Amino acid sequence: MSIGTGIVLFVIGAILVFAVNVEVDVVNLDMIGYILMGAGALVFLIGIVLMLKRRSTESTVRTVDPVAGERVTRSETRSSGDGTV
């Protein structure tokens, strides 16, 4: 969701900067557009980082020892703190 929000903010900012040619005495629309573009890029990057942190890896190693029997070693790396596998 944050990736889409970042894209929307960036697009709205680009429209304000490059497409709107209205002079307003109270605010500078170009500056607001640049701020929205920067915020959109930042939200987009944060969304990418959070999406990559949610991924988890799991590996299972099985070794069979004729004396001790089967031994299973399971290693799991979970980056998201939500508790789901």
Side-chain angles (χ1 to χ4, degrees):
M1 184 167 142
S2 63
I3 294 173
T5 304
I7 292 171
V8 167
L9 284 175
F10 192 85
V11 168
I12 292 172
I15 290 171
L16 283 176
V17 171
F18 301 115
V20 176
N21 293 325
V22 176
E23 292 293 326
V24 180
D25 293 334
V26 180
V27 294
N28 186 355
L29 291 180
D30 287 342
M31 183 57 68
I32 292 175
Y34 286 123
I35 291 171
L36 286 175
M37 287 173 61
L42 184 67
V43 169
F44 180 80
L45 291 175
I46 289 172
I48 293 289
V49 168
L50 291 177
M51 182 181 67
L52 292 176
K53 287 184 77 173
R54 282 190 210 124
R55 293 187 176 189
S56 65
T57 59
E58 181 178 334
S59 63
T60 303
V61 178
R62 293 182 184 266
T63 57
V64 178
D65 187 4
V67 177
E70 183 178 1
R71 184 174 65 179
V72 176
T73 303
R74 183 176 183 202
S75 173
E76 181 177 349
T77 303
R78 185 182 306 154
S79 295
S80 65
D82 58 359
T84 59
V85 177

